[in-house]
Amino acid sequence: MSQQFADFFLGGNSPSGFYSLFKDVYNVEDGWRVFVIKGGPGTGKSTLMKKIAAEAAERGYLTERGFCSSDPQSLDAVIVPQIRTAIFDGTAPHVIEPELPGACEIIVNLGVAFDNKKLFSCAAELAEVSDACSSCHRNAVRFLRCADSFTANTSLIASKAVSTEKIKRRAQKLCSTYAGPKSGKERTRLLSAVTMEGVKLFSNTLDNTCDTLISIDDKYGAPSDMLLSSVRDILISIGCEFICCRCSQSKRIEHIILPNERVGFTVCNTFHQAHSDARITHCERFLDPSVISENSKKFSYNRRAAAHFYSLASQEMRRAKSIHDRLEEIYSSAVDFSIVNEISETVTDAFFA
């Protein structure tokens, strides 16, 4: 019987540039096999990974799909923890270099299918288009840095109003109620990212991996991060397996999934809506209401300003995607896809060997 997919991002634009979790997925000492695809845009990397994801699900594996934050319709990774095997797009901006070539990481070179003479004749245009695409992403990062200054200000003010004792007691209560026995360790993923479509959250992953959801209602950023940080510390101390999902912008913890218990703790805020059947924890219970009241206008302004700059960042990412489409056109016109298809069959067989 086919299993549901668990969808994540493994990287994305952030105030400090491209934030990547690609190398956090596996440890060379844990017996992983990792296929790293090298090749230009439009050469079939995402198509190959979609094929492997579909087959992994058909084989009954819980299959993690890592989508591209620059183009949420495209795959950057497929991870199958049950067989400790993964496949990644190993090109910029998430370049992966092997630590144990052949023993752990296996390079898949789609460049052997290139018509190099044709690409050489297009080199000037490729360089120009690539530079234009990179410029858009740099602009997006600048806008995200602006947005972060406003969200960080809200979080800083709110952090001074938090009762840490109440936070700790609530974290202990949540873990004693929902955490299971020792079974594994922490995995890190991104459940949301700023994309060309705006802030995108993979709520389907929560649906597919959790029967019980505890939604932490927090407009301010600080109390939910403090609560989930306390939950994380407890889970680590008892050796519980869990997936920790941080905000791609602030690095604050926004979601924790306990896959074995099928329980999830998730933050709802301006950008992440609460699930209709979730059990709600309201963060006002942890805050000094006088501090919140006297800063209410500042909080409102910060939310509007951050939303404005997130929108501008998404606009730049849409421009980058339209430019990147031209790169894909050029490369795909210079690829022998019969060779790519042969490589795809070989890699798929090897992935499940």
Side-chain angles (χ1 to χ4, degrees), residues 29 119 147 168-169 172 185 205 211 217 231 246-247 267 300 312 317 347:
E29 298 175 354
L119 288 174
K168 290 178 181 178
R169 287 197 298 270
Q172 288 285 354
K185 57 185 179 180
T205 297
D211 296 326
D217 187 8
V231 168
R246 296 182 180 272
C247 172
V267 174
S300 295
L312 292 177
M317 293 173 73
V347 172

Side-chain angles (χ1 to χ4, degrees), residues 251-312:
K251 313 305 183 288
R252 290 190 291 267
I253 301 176
E254 290 191 322
H255 318 277
I256 291 178
I257 299 171
L258 282 66
N260 294 332
E261 292 77 16
R262 294 191 61 81
V263 171
F265 308 108
T266 178
V267 174
C268 62
N269 52 32
T270 305
F271 302 104
H272 304 159
Q273 299 303 307
H275 278 56
S276 58
D277 57 350
R279 303 174 187 180
I280 306 294
T281 292
H282 296 283
C283 278
E284 280 80 1
R285 64 191 290 185
F286 308 122
L287 295 167
D288 180 343
S290 64
V291 175
I292 301 304
S293 178
E294 69 186 36
N295 288 282
S296 61
K297 290 184 178 180
K298 185 175 293 185
F299 292 151
S300 295
Y301 177 81
N302 286 347
R303 278 194 291 272
R304 292 194 303 272
H308 172 68
F309 284 110
Y310 283 138
S311 177
L312 292 177

Side-chain angles (χ1 to χ4, degrees), residues 67-144:
F67 282 86
C68 174
S69 58
S70 296
D71 177 8
Q73 303 304 313
S74 179
L75 277 182
D76 275 345
V78 175
I79 306 158
V80 187
Q82 288 172 270
I83 58 173
R84 295 187 180 183
T85 306
I87 184 166
F88 298 118
D89 178 346
T91 59
H94 33 74
V95 175
I96 296 176
E97 294 299 339
E99 293 181 51
L100 297 177
C104 176
E105 298 96 347
I106 302 162
I107 300 298
V108 179
N109 180 19
L110 297 184
V112 297
F114 288 169
D115 180 340
N116 293 315
K117 289 184 178 179
K118 185 170 185 178
L119 288 174
F120 182 76
S121 69
C122 301
E125 183 181 3
L126 285 170
E128 181 181 354
V129 174
S130 181
D131 286 347
C133 187
S134 296
S135 178
C136 289
H137 282 294
R138 287 194 296 270
N139 287 338
V141 167
R142 294 186 185 101
F143 288 133
L144 293 175

Side-chain angles (χ1 to χ4, degrees), residues 9-12 18-26 66-67 76-77 87-90 94-96:
F9 296 108
L10 293 176
F18 188 79
Y19 176 51
S20 175
L21 294 175
F22 279 75
K23 286 305 294 284
D24 293 345
V25 168
Y26 70 97
F67 282 86
D76 275 345
I87 184 166
F88 298 118
D89 178 346
H94 33 74
V95 175
I96 296 176

Side-chain angles (χ1 to χ4, degrees), residues 12-39:
N13 286 328
S14 80
S16 57
F18 188 79
Y19 176 51
S20 175
L21 294 175
F22 279 75
K23 286 305 294 284
D24 293 345
V25 168
Y26 70 97
N27 189 323
V28 296
E29 298 175 354
D30 289 342
W32 279 81
R33 290 184 310 137
V34 177
F35 295 83
V36 182
I37 310 175
K38 300 289 186 178

